[in-house]
Amino acid sequence: MTMADDTEDVELDFAADEQERARRSAVIRHPLASFFHLFFRVVAIVVYLLCDWISKSFASCFVLIIALLSFDFWSVKNVTGRLLVGLRWWNQIDEDGRSLWVFEAKKLGASRGSNTGTEAEARIFWLGLIICPLIWTFFFFTSLFSLKIKWLSLVVASISLQAANLYGYLRCKAGGQNGQPPDKCSFSGQHLLQRPDIIFGIL
Amino acid sequence: MAAAEDSRPFAGLSDVSISEDIPVEGDISVPVGSSRRDDELSTLDEPVKETILRDLRAVGNKFVHVLYPKRSSALLRDWDLWGPLLLCVTLALLLQGGAADSDDQGGPQFAEVFVIIWFGSIIITLNSKLLGGTISFFQSLCVLGYCIMPLTVAMAVCRLVLLGGTGMVSFAVRLAVVTASFGWSTFASTAFLTDSQPPNRKALVVYPVFLFYFVIGWMVLTFSPSQ
């Protein structure tokens, strides 16, 4: 009877094969995701800096940068966030038409057997997430003070795309560390207390 | 005896008891969300191609809903802004005048179209929220953005018509096409947006939408290709 109380998950390592152990002890578990996390953002910044050499037309630079940043937004929100750091955020509309923002984080203890990222990957993720919006903010001021208003519109669009992911993941992280239920922003707070299914992501 | 009993207000309560034979039953269901966790796990582990295809299908579905604006909730429930972004970029490119290296064509510049569409949508959304609408910010942006589609199609048609000449006939055809698509856009977006408004405010919400699509339609109609 006492055995039933003692059901702590013990990792029985003799069942793991070589590949599994290598994967678990690797420095970077998701090389492709880490690469793409940084790729689109950095290329967008490079294109912005070199746009005079790439093409004479403002429109093509604009479209190229916005396309790159859209791909980046989508991949960071849907793929690299959950693979590298186990965080996720989204918006859903419930049946009454109320808007609900859900921020979710994987519980730390459960990441032993799972596929979440390592320390190095987490560092790549957060550095990439924070530094690029700062660079775009710097571009905002340079284009503002040099009065290039056309480029200002592009920079504002870029900042909004990058800052959205930054803000979403920071809220996920804040919710996860305090051990509270994830932040739920909605226009009717009472309704949420009756929705226990939006719980902390326990895996 | 009766007077003494009445003077103690809760006298009868001590006699109250529930027989143990009466079954007390009910249904307390707490959605633990395990099925949803399974969904989450399955979407967490799905290959990236699946995610992309799923999102593309959702966007395509919304385009179809704009074509046949019924009172459905597809645009509202699963909003996304990819469609509006795509339409905005397409419209801005079509309004470029075809010249690749200079931006002073006499038509709207690229960034202007972008700014007009997005700022216009944001202001209309703020207006409807201030009037007490229940629709959320991004849902409204989604609807307004997707309903630009008829005007984008009209722009493409106008470009084709302009290939044939710029005379009175061409202008008449373009006017008809632009007016029809403007009406379609306004009708489609109000079909989605006015449901969330209190009934005496519907006109107050509709007129900015009318102005918004009017400005875009004007840009489409007055477009003239560079020689």
Side-chain angles (χ1 to χ4, degrees):
Chain A
M1 285 303 278
T2 53
M3 295 275 279
D5 303 333
D6 234 353
T7 51
E8 162 113 28
D9 261 329
V10 176
E11 226 173 317
L12 298 174
D13 222 6
F14 59 79
D17 59 341
E18 274 305 314
Q19 208 180 15
E20 185 74 7
R21 228 172 292 148
R23 188 188 60 79
R24 239 180 271 143
S25 59
V27 172
I28 291 192
R29 270 186 217 142
H30 307 100
L32 214 59
S34 311
F35 171 73
F36 276 111
H37 175 75
L38 294 174
F39 174 72
F40 292 124
R41 325 191 131 215
V42 170
V43 171
I45 291 181
V46 166
V47 168
Y48 179 80
L49 290 171
L50 300 180
C51 59
D52 284 332
W53 294 345
I54 294 178
S55 155
K56 294 280 176 277
S57 141
F58 169 73
S60 53
C61 269
F62 193 106
V63 171
L64 183 60
I65 292 179
I66 293 292
L68 284 169
L69 288 177
S70 310
F71 293 152
D72 164 77
F73 178 84
W74 184 89
S75 58
V76 170
K77 181 171 183 296
N78 288 308
V79 177
T80 65
R82 62 173 207 247
L83 285 181
L84 294 184
V85 286
L87 298 173
R88 209 164 170 211
W89 61 278
W90 70 92
N91 172 270
Q92 58 193 44
I93 316 279
D94 60 6
E95 295 87 20
D96 310 324
R98 264 171 279 240
S99 155
L100 200 67
W101 290 95
V102 184
F103 302 94
E104 194 171 32
K106 260 192 197 174
K107 215 173 169 153
L108 289 175
S111 60
R112 241 180 333 167
S114 76
N115 208 15
T116 340
T118 56
E119 277 289 318
E121 289 181 327
R123 209 170 299 141
I124 291 177
F125 179 83
W126 288 109
L127 280 180
L129 201 65
I130 293 178
I131 290 183
C132 290
L134 288 179
I135 297 182
W136 282 106
T137 314
F138 170 70
F139 290 155
F140 175 79
F141 287 111
T142 55
S143 63
L144 181 66
F145 293 133
S146 61
L147 297 179
K148 292 195 213 159
I149 303 298
K150 258 187 341 198
W151 294 102
L152 201 63
S153 65
L154 172 61
V155 173
V156 167
S158 312
I159 290 180
S160 52
L161 281 172
Q162 304 257 294
N165 260 326
L166 178 62
Y167 179 69
Y169 280 115
L170 281 179
R171 281 191 80 167
C172 288
K173 187 92 177 146
Q177 269 171 359
N178 297 339
Q180 289 163 0
D183 274 350
K184 306 157 291 238
C185 220
S186 112
F187 293 105
S188 71
Q190 275 99 4
H191 213 63
L192 293 168
L193 297 175
Q194 299 153 22
R195 292 283 295 268
D197 56 327
I198 304 182
I199 52 177
F200 201 41
I202 300 175
L203 285 180
Chain B
M1 276 294 275
E5 283 206 69
D6 284 336
S7 66
R8 296 184 301 150
F10 302 114
L13 277 180
S14 54
D15 299 332
V16 172
S17 68
I18 298 180
S19 152
E20 282 167 12
D21 304 330
I22 300 178
V24 175
E25 53 182 274
D27 200 14
I28 302 177
S29 64
V30 174
V32 175
S34 58
S35 63
R36 195 158 175 274
R37 294 308 304 158
D38 287 340
D39 283 345
E40 284 306 305
L41 283 175
S42 66
T43 61
L44 279 172
D45 295 330
E46 71 183 356
V48 177
K49 205 194 318 177
E50 263 302 311
T51 318
I52 297 178
L53 284 178
R54 192 159 42 89
D55 282 345
L56 282 178
R57 252 179 262 134
V59 171
N61 188 29
K62 289 197 200 49
F63 277 125
V64 171
H65 271 96
V66 175
L67 281 178
Y68 304 107
K70 303 178 292 235
R71 275 169 204 263
S72 78
S73 57
L75 247 79
L76 291 177
R77 291 291 303 275
D78 309 310
W79 60 266
D80 75 291
L81 294 179
W82 299 114
L85 182 67
L86 189 65
L87 284 171
C88 186
V89 168
T90 309
L91 187 61
L93 283 176
L94 285 174
L95 278 166
Q96 269 296 91
D101 44 50
S102 141
D103 345 89
D104 309 325
Q105 285 305 313
Q109 301 191 14
F110 188 90
E112 278 178 20
V113 176
F114 222 83
V115 166
I116 285 178
I117 290 181
W118 287 101
F119 261 51
S121 308
I122 289 175
I123 289 180
I124 294 178
T125 308
L126 280 179
N127 175 59
S128 81
K129 290 208 77 64
L130 284 173
L131 284 171
T134 59
I135 199 172
S136 93
F137 182 75
F138 288 105
Q139 280 177 310
S140 172
L141 284 184
C142 171
V143 168
L144 289 167
Y146 271 102
C147 290
I148 293 180
M149 192 187 73
L151 282 164
T152 310
V153 170
M155 183 67 213
V157 169
C158 283
R159 288 293 292 251
L160 289 175
V161 168
L162 279 169
L163 287 177
T166 51
M168 275 306 296
V169 173
S170 136
F171 179 74
V173 169
R174 282 186 291 137
L175 180 64
V177 167
V178 169
T179 312
S181 60
F182 159 74
W184 192 358
S185 288
T186 313
F187 170 68
S189 62
T190 52
F192 292 112
L193 287 179
T194 53
D195 279 345
S196 59
Q197 294 293 335
N200 54 340
R201 297 267 172 88
K202 287 202 200 294
L204 281 174
V205 171
V206 168
Y207 93 84
V209 176
F210 184 91
L211 276 178
F212 177 64
Y213 290 123
F214 181 80
V215 167
I216 298 179
W218 183 257
M219 283 197 299
V220 169
L221 185 60
T222 57
F223 171 79
S224 61
S226 64
Q227 302 303 328

